[in-house]
Amino acid sequence: MSVPSAPPGVAILMYHSVGRSTTAWSRRFTVDPGLFDEHIAALIDARARLVTVREVPGLLSAGPIERPRERRAAADDEASLEPRAGEGAAGQAVAAGPAVAISIDDGLADAATGAAPVLAAHGAPATLFVPTAYVGRSAAWMSGGDADRPMLSWGALGELAAVGMEIGSHGHLHLAADINEPELVREDAIRSRAELEEHLGRTVSSYAYPFGYCTRDAANAVGDAGFSQACAVMELPAVADDDPLILPRIYVSPQTTPEMLLRLVQRRPARTLRQWALVKQQVWHAGRRWAEWGPPEARRGSHAQLAANDLGA
């Protein structure tokens, strides 16, 4: 009996905070800049094709990825050159390493001081997801000391966008899309996209669900708000069969070594394992909606909050 093969995919990595200082609660989401540098270096050494989230649906629909043959200058002495990364003998194209998208949630200030310098040093693209109500303020949707963590300003976001980082939406009020009504999710997403495009002067097409989960109706609402792709959390690589409005991502922790990261991005779960992951997510959805599983910050919002731009400390 044949076992269904695992389809090729794109590993969308999910980071939150890249910095040296953190809080007790956020420690599990904070990656040291030195480790982040090791992660990016390992991906490049593995010949990973690094892309933004905006590029993922097109990459998945294009099929298997090969690196194009590099053009060499006419003055080069072909016989004296060693094959370059991504090339075989005589410059023949070889299969690329894993396709990987680096994403960073929440728009915390350390994205500019901890993550951006590392990405720039390696020439690596990334996508930053920002909840627009908190730009230039603090992460007030969190609790305790985390609510005082500084956020990026509009000026800092503009500078990151100018050097090639994709800026996407993490909603406006950072509302949980799986337990709030679809109409509220849609209005919140519309407002976030409008503010990002107004301040940055760029089209915004990528979205990440706050707290990582959504329903089918919430995904439709995000699509109705004008987004072409949206990210959830399912600890799986994205494949061509995935809905572009429910792309799975892979959580990266401060305990994730470069070797572990490479295993994560090269993993290709069989279809049966992907189906089991979806079943587990459905159970989690039920628990979130009816038993209030998950963090207390992932609460229900209201149209009144959105209208008042209430940051809900």
Side-chain angles (χ1 to χ4, degrees):
M1 176 189 245
S2 63
V3 177
S5 60
V10 179
I12 308 177
L13 302 178
M14 179 183 66
Y15 293 85
H16 283 84
S17 176
V18 180
R20 292 190 169 86
S21 63
T22 186
T23 65
W25 188 87
S26 290
R27 189 172 294 118
R28 58 180 171 153
F29 297 113
T30 304
V31 173
D32 185 87
L35 179 59
F36 186 63
D37 181 78
E38 293 178 19
H39 285 172
I40 306 305
L43 291 171
I44 291 172
D45 288 346
R47 296 181 177 178
R49 178 170 181 178
L50 301 180
V51 299
T52 61
V53 170
R54 179 177 55 233
E55 298 172 273
V56 170
L59 200 60
L60 291 173
S61 65
I65 305 162
E66 288 192 348
R67 289 189 188 280
R69 176 175 175 168
E70 295 182 357
R71 294 185 178 274
R72 296 183 174 181
D76 282 348
D77 180 1
E78 294 280 339
S80 67
L81 290 175
E82 294 293 329
R84 297 184 179 184
E87 288 185 328
Q92 184 176 1
V94 297
V100 178
I102 299 163
S103 67
I104 305 171
D105 284 5
D106 293 341
L108 296 168
D110 62 20
T113 58
V118 172
L119 294 166
H122 290 284
T127 301
L128 178 66
F129 291 112
V130 181
T132 47
Y134 308 92
V135 173
R137 306 184 187 187
S138 65
W141 74 88
M142 298 188 190
S143 58
D146 290 284
D148 297 324
R149 297 189 70 180
M151 297 285 289
L152 291 165
S153 66
W154 284 115
L157 287 171
E159 291 173 3
L160 293 175
V163 297
M165 183 177 286
E166 181 191 10
I167 309 298
S169 169
H170 208 28
H172 185 63
L173 293 176
H174 202 279
L175 298 175
D178 60 332
I179 60 173
N180 280 287
E181 294 305 315
E183 182 57 26
L184 179 60
V185 173
R186 187 185 73 86
E187 290 181 14
D188 182 84
I190 288 173
R191 180 160 181 179
S192 177
R193 181 167 174 259
E195 291 200 7
L196 287 168
E197 292 186 342
E198 177 184 354
H199 284 277
L200 301 178
R202 298 166 185 267
T203 300
V204 174
S205 62
S206 298
Y207 182 96
Y209 297 101
F211 306 104
Y213 300 98
C214 69
T215 62
R216 174 70 267 170
D217 288 343
N220 291 339
V222 167
D224 290 344
F227 292 95
S228 301
Q229 53 278 328
C231 294
V233 179
M234 281 181 269
E235 303 300 336
L236 294 168
V239 297
D241 291 342
D242 287 324
D243 186 328
L245 291 172
I246 315 178
L247 294 171
R249 287 191 293 173
I250 300 168
Y251 162 60
V252 182
S253 83
Q255 283 74 47
T256 304
T257 66
E259 295 76 17
M260 292 167 63
L261 187 76
L262 290 182
R263 289 197 293 271
L264 285 173
V265 302
Q266 292 166 345
R267 186 170 62 103
R268 293 292 177 262
R271 294 184 188 277
T272 51
L273 291 178
R274 294 183 66 86
Q275 291 166 355
W276 174 238
L278 293 175
V279 169
K280 289 194 295 183
Q281 188 182 60
Q282 290 170 358
V283 172
W284 174 253
H285 281 328
R288 290 267 296 139
R289 196 163 188 86
W290 305 113
E292 298 186 353
W293 290 356
E297 295 86 357
R299 58 186 181 271
R300 297 179 191 272
S302 69
H303 294 276
Q305 270 186 307
L306 187 60
N309 198 42
D310 182 357
L311 302 188

